[in-house]
PDB file of all heavy atoms in Angstrom:
ATOM      1  N   LYS A 553     -54.685   4.546 -15.114  1.00  0.00           N
ATOM      2  CA  LYS A 553     -55.995   3.852 -15.474  1.00  0.00           C
ATOM      3  C   LYS A 553     -56.324   4.063 -16.923  1.00  0.00           C
ATOM      4  O   LYS A 553     -56.939   3.251 -17.498  1.00  0.00           O
ATOM      5  CB  LYS A 553     -57.151   4.525 -14.609  1.00  0.00           C
ATOM      6  CG  LYS A 553     -58.484   3.949 -14.954  1.00  0.00           C
ATOM      7  CD  LYS A 553     -59.471   4.299 -13.835  1.00  0.00           C
ATOM      8  CE  LYS A 553     -60.791   3.681 -14.194  1.00  0.00           C
ATOM      9  NZ  LYS A 553     -60.783   2.371 -14.514  1.00  0.00           N
ATOM     10  N   LEU A 554     -55.873   5.227 -17.591  1.00  0.00           N
ATOM     11  CA  LEU A 554     -56.189   5.501 -18.844  1.00  0.00           C
ATOM     12  C   LEU A 554     -55.030   5.258 -19.811  1.00  0.00           C
ATOM     13  O   LEU A 554     -55.260   5.486 -21.008  1.00  0.00           O
ATOM     14  CB  LEU A 554     -56.654   7.024 -18.988  1.00  0.00           C
ATOM     15  CG  LEU A 554     -57.825   7.421 -18.161  1.00  0.00           C
ATOM     16  CD1 LEU A 554     -58.091   8.955 -18.253  1.00  0.00           C
ATOM     17  CD2 LEU A 554     -59.180   6.738 -18.525  1.00  0.00           C
ATOM     18  N   ASN A 555     -53.881   4.954 -19.248  1.00  0.00           N
ATOM     19  CA  ASN A 555     -52.659   4.750 -19.968  1.00  0.00           C
ATOM     20  C   ASN A 555     -52.514   6.028 -20.936  1.00  0.00           C
ATOM     21  O   ASN A 555     -52.354   5.981 -22.153  1.00  0.00           O
ATOM     22  CB  ASN A 555     -52.698   3.513 -20.912  1.00  0.00           C
ATOM     23  CG  ASN A 555     -51.336   3.303 -21.502  1.00  0.00           C
ATOM     24  OD1 ASN A 555     -50.349   3.707 -20.996  1.00  0.00           O
ATOM     25  ND2 ASN A 555     -51.295   2.594 -22.692  1.00  0.00           N
ATOM     26  N   ALA A 556     -52.632   7.233 -20.190  1.00  0.00           N
ATOM     27  CA  ALA A 556     -52.578   8.450 -20.940  1.00  0.00           C
ATOM     28  C   ALA A 556     -51.946   9.530 -20.066  1.00  0.00           C
ATOM     29  O   ALA A 556     -51.446   9.290 -18.933  1.00  0.00           O
ATOM     30  CB  ALA A 556     -54.041   8.844 -21.229  1.00  0.00           C
ATOM     31  N   PHE A 557     -51.724  10.712 -20.658  1.00  0.00           N
ATOM     32  CA  PHE A 557     -50.956  11.847 -20.001  1.00  0.00           C
ATOM     33  C   PHE A 557     -51.864  13.059 -20.025  1.00  0.00           C
ATOM     34  O   PHE A 557     -52.768  13.298 -20.831  1.00  0.00           O
ATOM     35  CB  PHE A 557     -49.769  12.152 -20.857  1.00  0.00           C
ATOM     36  CG  PHE A 557     -48.783  10.894 -20.975  1.00  0.00           C
ATOM     37  CD1 PHE A 557     -48.954   9.879 -21.876  1.00  0.00           C
ATOM     38  CD2 PHE A 557     -47.704  10.802 -20.015  1.00  0.00           C
ATOM     39  CE1 PHE A 557     -48.114   8.802 -21.941  1.00  0.00           C
ATOM     40  CE2 PHE A 557     -47.012   9.722 -20.063  1.00  0.00           C
ATOM     41  CZ  PHE A 557     -47.077   8.796 -21.077  1.00  0.00           C
ATOM     42  N   VAL A 558     -51.495  13.886 -18.985  1.00  0.00           N
ATOM     43  CA  VAL A 558     -52.257  15.129 -18.754  1.00  0.00           C
ATOM     44  C   VAL A 558     -51.317  16.091 -18.324  1.00  0.00           C
ATOM     45  O   VAL A 558     -50.280  15.823 -17.575  1.00  0.00           O
ATOM     46  CB  VAL A 558     -53.421  14.933 -17.847  1.00  0.00           C
ATOM     47  CG1 VAL A 558     -53.021  14.637 -16.425  1.00  0.00           C
ATOM     48  CG2 VAL A 558     -54.360  16.217 -17.800  1.00  0.00           C
ATOM     49  N   ALA A 559     -51.436  17.370 -18.712  1.00  0.00           N
ATOM     50  CA  ALA A 559     -50.552  18.434 -18.279  1.00  0.00           C
ATOM     51  C   ALA A 559     -50.779  18.728 -16.820  1.00  0.00           C
ATOM     52  O   ALA A 559     -51.941  18.550 -16.273  1.00  0.00           O
ATOM     53  CB  ALA A 559     -50.770  19.721 -19.023  1.00  0.00           C
ATOM     54  N   CYS A 560     -49.670  18.935 -16.021  1.00  0.00           N
ATOM     55  CA  CYS A 560     -49.829  19.117 -14.615  1.00  0.00           C
ATOM     56  C   CYS A 560     -50.532  20.477 -14.346  1.00  0.00           C
ATOM     57  O   CYS A 560     -50.195  21.558 -14.956  1.00  0.00           O
ATOM     58  CB  CYS A 560     -48.428  19.239 -14.032  1.00  0.00           C
ATOM     59  SG  CYS A 560     -48.458  19.565 -12.176  1.00  0.00           S
ATOM     60  N   ALA A 561     -51.523  20.493 -13.480  1.00  0.00           N
ATOM     61  CA  ALA A 561     -52.299  21.653 -13.080  1.00  0.00           C
ATOM     62  C   ALA A 561     -51.583  22.448 -12.057  1.00  0.00           C
ATOM     63  O   ALA A 561     -51.995  23.602 -11.873  1.00  0.00           O
ATOM     64  CB  ALA A 561     -53.675  21.227 -12.571  1.00  0.00           C
ATOM     65  N   HIS A 562     -50.555  21.868 -11.561  1.00  0.00           N
ATOM     66  CA  HIS A 562     -49.782  22.673 -10.388  1.00  0.00           C
ATOM     67  C   HIS A 562     -48.329  22.570 -10.750  1.00  0.00           C
ATOM     68  O   HIS A 562     -47.497  22.182  -9.846  1.00  0.00           O
ATOM     69  CB  HIS A 562     -50.117  22.124  -8.997  1.00  0.00           C
ATOM     70  CG  HIS A 562     -51.527  21.955  -8.755  1.00  0.00           C
ATOM     71  ND1 HIS A 562     -52.324  23.083  -8.428  1.00  0.00           N
ATOM     72  CD2 HIS A 562     -52.368  20.928  -8.697  1.00  0.00           C
ATOM     73  CE1 HIS A 562     -53.534  22.734  -8.157  1.00  0.00           C
ATOM     74  NE2 HIS A 562     -53.646  21.415  -8.424  1.00  0.00           N
ATOM     75  N   PRO A 563     -47.772  23.004 -11.905  1.00  0.00           N
ATOM     76  CA  PRO A 563     -46.434  22.848 -12.200  1.00  0.00           C
ATOM     77  C   PRO A 563     -45.576  23.798 -11.223  1.00  0.00           C
ATOM     78  O   PRO A 563     -46.107  24.866 -10.882  1.00  0.00           O
ATOM     79  CB  PRO A 563     -46.318  23.337 -13.643  1.00  0.00           C
ATOM     80  CG  PRO A 563     -47.552  24.262 -13.896  1.00  0.00           C
ATOM     81  CD  PRO A 563     -48.597  23.709 -12.930  1.00  0.00           C
ATOM     82  N   GLY A 564     -44.484  23.297 -10.922  1.00  0.00           N
ATOM     83  CA  GLY A 564     -43.593  24.047 -10.113  1.00  0.00           C
ATOM     84  C   GLY A 564     -43.816  23.809  -8.605  1.00  0.00           C
ATOM     85  O   GLY A 564     -43.024  24.275  -7.775  1.00  0.00           O
ATOM     86  N   ALA A 565     -44.959  23.156  -8.258  1.00  0.00           N
ATOM     87  CA  ALA A 565     -45.288  22.934  -6.813  1.00  0.00           C
ATOM     88  C   ALA A 565     -45.109  21.455  -6.599  1.00  0.00           C
ATOM     89  O   ALA A 565     -45.618  20.561  -7.237  1.00  0.00           O
ATOM     90  CB  ALA A 565     -46.743  23.336  -6.626  1.00  0.00           C
ATOM     91  N   ARG A 566     -44.372  21.146  -5.565  1.00  0.00           N
ATOM     92  CA  ARG A 566     -44.176  19.826  -5.111  1.00  0.00           C
ATOM     93  C   ARG A 566     -45.404  19.318  -4.549  1.00  0.00           C
ATOM     94  O   ARG A 566     -46.036  19.784  -3.612  1.00  0.00           O
ATOM     95  CB  ARG A 566     -43.070  19.745  -4.098  1.00  0.00           C
ATOM     96  CG  ARG A 566     -42.859  18.353  -3.402  1.00  0.00           C
ATOM     97  CD  ARG A 566     -42.092  17.437  -4.241  1.00  0.00           C
ATOM     98  NE  ARG A 566     -41.817  16.175  -3.494  1.00  0.00           N
ATOM     99  CZ  ARG A 566     -42.582  15.003  -3.790  1.00  0.00           C
ATOM    100  NH1 ARG A 566     -43.383  15.029  -4.733  1.00  0.00           N
ATOM    101  NH2 ARG A 566     -42.317  13.957  -3.084  1.00  0.00           N
ATOM    102  N   HIS A 567     -45.939  18.145  -5.180  1.00  0.00           N
ATOM    103  CA  HIS A 567     -47.273  17.685  -4.758  1.00  0.00           C
ATOM    104  C   HIS A 567     -47.511  16.302  -5.275  1.00  0.00           C
ATOM    105  O   HIS A 567     -46.833  15.820  -6.236  1.00  0.00           O
ATOM    106  CB  HIS A 567     -48.412  18.492  -5.311  1.00  0.00           C
ATOM    107  CG  HIS A 567     -48.591  18.495  -6.746  1.00  0.00           C
ATOM    108  ND1 HIS A 567     -47.759  19.141  -7.645  1.00  0.00           N
ATOM    109  CD2 HIS A 567     -49.494  18.000  -7.475  1.00  0.00           C
ATOM    110  CE1 HIS A 567     -48.173  18.941  -8.843  1.00  0.00           C
ATOM    111  NE2 HIS A 567     -49.191  18.201  -8.888  1.00  0.00           N
ATOM    112  N   ASP A 568     -48.411  15.588  -4.601  1.00  0.00           N
ATOM    113  CA  ASP A 568     -48.797  14.292  -5.092  1.00  0.00           C
ATOM    114  C   ASP A 568     -50.292  14.523  -5.701  1.00  0.00           C
ATOM    115  O   ASP A 568     -51.121  15.092  -5.124  1.00  0.00           O
ATOM    116  CB  ASP A 568     -49.035  13.315  -3.938  1.00  0.00           C
ATOM    117  CG  ASP A 568     -47.638  12.883  -3.319  1.00  0.00           C
ATOM    118  OD1 ASP A 568     -46.623  12.902  -4.103  1.00  0.00           O
ATOM    119  OD2 ASP A 568     -47.576  12.787  -2.090  1.00  0.00           O
ATOM    120  N   PRO A 569     -50.377  14.126  -7.001  1.00  0.00           N
ATOM    121  CA  PRO A 569     -51.678  14.478  -7.656  1.00  0.00           C
ATOM    122  C   PRO A 569     -52.763  13.541  -7.260  1.00  0.00           C
ATOM    123  O   PRO A 569     -52.543  12.299  -6.980  1.00  0.00           O
ATOM    124  CB  PRO A 569     -51.300  14.336  -9.128  1.00  0.00           C
ATOM    125  CG  PRO A 569     -50.189  13.318  -9.132  1.00  0.00           C
ATOM    126  CD  PRO A 569     -49.471  13.487  -7.857  1.00  0.00           C
ATOM    127  N   ALA A 570     -54.034  14.066  -7.340  1.00  0.00           N
ATOM    128  CA  ALA A 570     -55.125  13.227  -7.199  1.00  0.00           C
ATOM    129  C   ALA A 570     -56.048  13.601  -8.470  1.00  0.00           C
ATOM    130  O   ALA A 570     -56.471  14.791  -8.570  1.00  0.00           O
ATOM    131  CB  ALA A 570     -55.865  13.564  -5.931  1.00  0.00           C
ATOM    132  N   PHE A 571     -56.344  12.530  -9.267  1.00  0.00           N
ATOM    133  CA  PHE A 571     -57.042  12.760 -10.504  1.00  0.00           C
ATOM    134  C   PHE A 571     -58.536  12.387 -10.363  1.00  0.00           C
ATOM    135  O   PHE A 571     -58.846  11.307  -9.842  1.00  0.00           O
ATOM    136  CB  PHE A 571     -56.471  12.022 -11.649  1.00  0.00           C
ATOM    137  CG  PHE A 571     -55.028  12.490 -11.959  1.00  0.00           C
ATOM    138  CD1 PHE A 571     -53.979  11.710 -11.680  1.00  0.00           C
ATOM    139  CD2 PHE A 571     -54.776  13.708 -12.441  1.00  0.00           C
ATOM    140  CE1 PHE A 571     -52.664  12.123 -11.830  1.00  0.00           C
ATOM    141  CE2 PHE A 571     -53.475  14.133 -12.714  1.00  0.00           C
ATOM    142  CZ  PHE A 571     -52.451  13.353 -12.391  1.00  0.00           C
ATOM    143  N   MET A 572     -59.379  13.213 -10.820  1.00  0.00           N
ATOM    144  CA  MET A 572     -60.814  12.840 -10.906  1.00  0.00           C
ATOM    145  C   MET A 572     -61.072  12.727 -12.382  1.00  0.00           C
ATOM    146  O   MET A 572     -60.966  13.679 -13.147  1.00  0.00           O
ATOM    147  CB  MET A 572     -61.660  13.898 -10.242  1.00  0.00           C
ATOM    148  CG  MET A 572     -61.475  13.976  -8.740  1.00  0.00           C
ATOM    149  SD  MET A 572     -61.834  15.564  -8.039  1.00  0.00           S
ATOM    150  CE  MET A 572     -60.437  16.498  -8.452  1.00  0.00           C
ATOM    151  N   ILE A 573     -61.461  11.519 -12.845  1.00  0.00           N
ATOM    152  CA  ILE A 573     -61.589  11.197 -14.259  1.00  0.00           C
ATOM    153  C   ILE A 573     -63.028  10.936 -14.585  1.00  0.00           C
ATOM    154  O   ILE A 573     -63.785  10.136 -13.970  1.00  0.00           O
ATOM    155  CB  ILE A 573     -60.819  10.025 -14.521  1.00  0.00           C
ATOM    156  CG1 ILE A 573     -59.397  10.152 -14.197  1.00  0.00           C
ATOM    157  CG2 ILE A 573     -60.955   9.647 -16.068  1.00  0.00           C
ATOM    158  CD1 ILE A 573     -58.627   8.789 -14.053  1.00  0.00           C
ATOM    159  N   CYS A 574     -63.690  11.830 -15.479  1.00  0.00           N
ATOM    160  CA  CYS A 574     -65.128  11.601 -15.837  1.00  0.00           C
ATOM    161  C   CYS A 574     -65.190  10.451 -16.793  1.00  0.00           C
ATOM    162  O   CYS A 574     -64.545  10.408 -17.835  1.00  0.00           O
ATOM    163  CB  CYS A 574     -65.621  12.847 -16.435  1.00  0.00           C
ATOM    164  SG  CYS A 574     -67.437  12.711 -16.811  1.00  0.00           S
ATOM    165  N   ARG A 575     -65.990   9.470 -16.437  1.00  0.00           N
ATOM    166  CA  ARG A 575     -66.088   8.161 -17.161  1.00  0.00           C
ATOM    167  C   ARG A 575     -66.944   8.399 -18.420  1.00  0.00           C
ATOM    168  O   ARG A 575     -66.930   7.691 -19.419  1.00  0.00           O
ATOM    169  CB  ARG A 575     -66.687   7.113 -16.361  1.00  0.00           C
ATOM    170  CG  ARG A 575     -68.091   7.322 -15.902  1.00  0.00           C
ATOM    171  CD  ARG A 575     -68.598   6.054 -15.151  1.00  0.00           C
ATOM    172  NE  ARG A 575     -69.744   6.309 -14.317  1.00  0.00           N
ATOM    173  CZ  ARG A 575     -71.009   6.433 -14.872  1.00  0.00           C
ATOM    174  NH1 ARG A 575     -71.107   6.344 -16.134  1.00  0.00           N
ATOM    175  NH2 ARG A 575     -72.026   6.722 -14.122  1.00  0.00           N
ATOM    176  N   THR A 576     -67.690   9.598 -18.454  1.00  0.00           N
ATOM    177  CA  THR A 576     -68.474   9.881 -19.651  1.00  0.00           C
ATOM    178  C   THR A 576     -67.739  10.742 -20.636  1.00  0.00           C
ATOM    179  O   THR A 576     -67.746  10.323 -21.885  1.00  0.00           O
ATOM    180  CB  THR A 576     -69.838  10.653 -19.166  1.00  0.00           C
ATOM    181  OG1 THR A 576     -70.456   9.840 -18.225  1.00  0.00           O
ATOM    182  CG2 THR A 576     -70.755  10.844 -20.414  1.00  0.00           C
ATOM    183  N   CYS A 577     -67.263  11.954 -20.312  1.00  0.00           N
ATOM    184  CA  CYS A 577     -66.750  12.664 -21.291  1.00  0.00           C
ATOM    185  C   CYS A 577     -65.135  12.713 -21.367  1.00  0.00           C
ATOM    186  O   CYS A 577     -64.544  13.231 -22.241  1.00  0.00           O
ATOM    187  CB  CYS A 577     -67.113  14.151 -21.020  1.00  0.00           C
ATOM    188  SG  CYS A 577     -66.453  14.928 -19.516  1.00  0.00           S
ATOM    189  N   GLY A 578     -64.563  12.060 -20.409  1.00  0.00           N
ATOM    190  CA  GLY A 578     -63.034  11.854 -20.376  1.00  0.00           C
ATOM    191  C   GLY A 578     -62.365  13.099 -19.787  1.00  0.00           C
ATOM    192  O   GLY A 578     -61.046  13.035 -19.777  1.00  0.00           O
ATOM    193  N   SER A 579     -62.973  14.080 -19.310  1.00  0.00           N
ATOM    194  CA  SER A 579     -62.275  15.295 -18.777  1.00  0.00           C
ATOM    195  C   SER A 579     -61.648  14.806 -17.436  1.00  0.00           C
ATOM    196  O   SER A 579     -62.000  13.796 -16.782  1.00  0.00           O
ATOM    197  CB  SER A 579     -63.170  16.426 -18.581  1.00  0.00           C
ATOM    198  OG  SER A 579     -64.223  16.157 -17.676  1.00  0.00           O
ATOM    199  N   VAL A 580     -60.583  15.497 -17.123  1.00  0.00           N
ATOM    200  CA  VAL A 580     -59.748  15.067 -15.986  1.00  0.00           C
ATOM    201  C   VAL A 580     -59.516  16.378 -15.148  1.00  0.00           C
ATOM    202  O   VAL A 580     -59.073  17.383 -15.761  1.00  0.00           O
ATOM    203  CB  VAL A 580     -58.368  14.537 -16.340  1.00  0.00           C
ATOM    204  CG1 VAL A 580     -57.482  14.253 -15.186  1.00  0.00           C
ATOM    205  CG2 VAL A 580     -58.632  13.281 -17.184  1.00  0.00           C
ATOM    206  N   ALA A 581     -59.678  16.364 -13.878  1.00  0.00           N
ATOM    207  CA  ALA A 581     -59.421  17.408 -13.036  1.00  0.00           C
ATOM    208  C   ALA A 581     -58.263  16.858 -12.018  1.00  0.00           C
ATOM    209  O   ALA A 581     -58.208  15.746 -11.657  1.00  0.00           O
ATOM    210  CB  ALA A 581     -60.601  17.886 -12.158  1.00  0.00           C
ATOM    211  N   GLU A 582     -57.425  17.775 -11.679  1.00  0.00           N
ATOM    212  CA  GLU A 582     -56.308  17.428 -10.783  1.00  0.00           C
ATOM    213  C   GLU A 582     -56.350  18.165  -9.517  1.00  0.00           C
ATOM    214  O   GLU A 582     -56.590  19.506  -9.605  1.00  0.00           O
ATOM    215  CB  GLU A 582     -54.926  17.705 -11.466  1.00  0.00           C
ATOM    216  CG  GLU A 582     -53.886  17.406 -10.698  1.00  0.00           C
ATOM    217  CD  GLU A 582     -52.449  17.768 -11.193  1.00  0.00           C
ATOM    218  OE1 GLU A 582     -52.370  18.045 -12.397  1.00  0.00           O
ATOM    219  OE2 GLU A 582     -51.494  17.925 -10.409  1.00  0.00           O
ATOM    220  N   ALA A 583     -56.195  17.574  -8.421  1.00  0.00           N
ATOM    221  CA  ALA A 583     -56.190  18.289  -7.148  1.00  0.00           C
ATOM    222  C   ALA A 583     -54.861  17.732  -6.491  1.00  0.00           C
ATOM    223  O   ALA A 583     -54.217  16.779  -6.878  1.00  0.00           O
ATOM    224  CB  ALA A 583     -57.425  17.887  -6.316  1.00  0.00           C
ATOM    225  N   ARG A 584     -54.553  18.328  -5.385  1.00  0.00           N
ATOM    226  CA  ARG A 584     -53.384  17.785  -4.552  1.00  0.00           C
ATOM    227  C   ARG A 584     -53.929  16.718  -3.619  1.00  0.00           C
ATOM    228  O   ARG A 584     -54.854  17.026  -2.821  1.00  0.00           O
ATOM    229  CB  ARG A 584     -52.821  18.954  -3.779  1.00  0.00           C
ATOM    230  CG  ARG A 584     -52.104  19.940  -4.755  1.00  0.00           C
ATOM    231  CD  ARG A 584     -51.506  21.138  -3.997  1.00  0.00           C
ATOM    232  NE  ARG A 584     -50.901  21.957  -4.968  1.00  0.00           N
ATOM    233  CZ  ARG A 584     -50.583  23.255  -4.733  1.00  0.00           C
ATOM    234  NH1 ARG A 584     -50.723  23.740  -3.509  1.00  0.00           N
ATOM    235  NH2 ARG A 584     -50.082  23.987  -5.649  1.00  0.00           N
ATOM    236  N   ALA A 585     -53.278  15.538  -3.547  1.00  0.00           N
ATOM    237  CA  ALA A 585     -53.700  14.455  -2.779  1.00  0.00           C
ATOM    238  C   ALA A 585     -53.581  14.860  -1.320  1.00  0.00           C
ATOM    239  O   ALA A 585     -52.487  15.464  -1.045  1.00  0.00           O
ATOM    240  CB  ALA A 585     -52.981  13.142  -3.080  1.00  0.00           C
ATOM    241  N   GLU A 586     -54.324  14.386  -0.568  1.00  0.00           N
ATOM    242  CA  GLU A 586     -54.251  14.622   0.975  1.00  0.00           C
ATOM    243  C   GLU A 586     -53.677  13.411   1.672  1.00  0.00           C
ATOM    244  O   GLU A 586     -54.514  12.744   2.317  1.00  0.00           O
ATOM    245  CB  GLU A 586     -55.594  14.949   1.394  1.00  0.00           C
ATOM    246  CG  GLU A 586     -56.389  16.132   0.721  1.00  0.00           C
ATOM    247  CD  GLU A 586     -56.293  17.341   1.416  1.00  0.00           C
ATOM    248  OE1 GLU A 586     -55.985  17.374   2.723  1.00  0.00           O
ATOM    249  OE2 GLU A 586     -56.329  18.419   0.815  1.00  0.00           O
ATOM    250  N   ALA A 587     -52.512  13.106   1.449  1.00  0.00           N
ATOM    251  CA  ALA A 587     -51.872  11.964   2.216  1.00  0.00           C
ATOM    252  C   ALA A 587     -52.820  10.915   2.595  1.00  0.00           C
ATOM    253  O   ALA A 587     -53.087  10.652   3.844  1.00  0.00           O
ATOM    254  CB  ALA A 587     -51.017  12.526   3.425  1.00  0.00           C
ATOM    255  N   PRO A 588     -53.409  10.151   1.652  1.00  0.00           N
ATOM    256  CA  PRO A 588     -54.439   9.219   1.985  1.00  0.00           C
ATOM    257  C   PRO A 588     -53.877   7.999   2.813  1.00  0.00           C
ATOM    258  O   PRO A 588     -54.679   7.388   3.474  1.00  0.00           O
ATOM    259  CB  PRO A 588     -54.833   8.711   0.551  1.00  0.00           C
ATOM    260  CG  PRO A 588     -53.708   8.949  -0.359  1.00  0.00           C
ATOM    261  CD  PRO A 588     -53.096  10.207   0.208  1.00  0.00           C
ATOM    262  N   MET A 589     -52.593   7.741   2.766  1.00  0.00           N
ATOM    263  CA  MET A 589     -52.083   6.560   3.546  1.00  0.00           C
ATOM    264  C   MET A 589     -51.142   6.930   4.651  1.00  0.00           C
ATOM    265  O   MET A 589     -50.590   6.204   5.319  1.00  0.00           O
ATOM    266  CB  MET A 589     -51.323   5.683   2.593  1.00  0.00           C
ATOM    267  CG  MET A 589     -52.193   5.114   1.429  1.00  0.00           C
ATOM    268  SD  MET A 589     -51.172   4.240   0.294  1.00  0.00           S
ATOM    269  CE  MET A 589     -50.197   3.191   1.224  1.00  0.00           C
ATOM    270  N   GLY A 590     -51.120   8.259   4.883  1.00  0.00           N
ATOM    271  CA  GLY A 590     -50.133   8.864   5.924  1.00  0.00           C
ATOM    272  C   GLY A 590     -50.104   8.169   7.216  1.00  0.00           C
ATOM    273  O   GLY A 590     -49.083   7.591   7.677  1.00  0.00           O
ATOM    274  N   ALA A 591     -51.224   8.038   7.927  1.00  0.00           N
ATOM    275  CA  ALA A 591     -51.292   7.506   9.304  1.00  0.00           C
ATOM    276  C   ALA A 591     -51.036   6.058   9.205  1.00  0.00           C
ATOM    277  O   ALA A 591     -50.351   5.504  10.134  1.00  0.00           O
ATOM    278  CB  ALA A 591     -52.667   7.819   9.903  1.00  0.00           C
TER     279      ALA A 591
END
Side-chain angles (χ1 to χ4, degrees):
K553 178 164 184 49
L554 302 176
N555 191 24
F557 298 85
V558 65
C560 179
H562 307 286
R566 171 82 175 102
H567 67 286
D568 291 327
F571 298 108
M572 292 158 282
I573 306 161
C574 182
R575 65 176 166 76
T576 302
C577 70
S579 61
V580 176
E582 178 187 343
R584 293 179 181 163
E586 305 263 337
M589 299 174 49

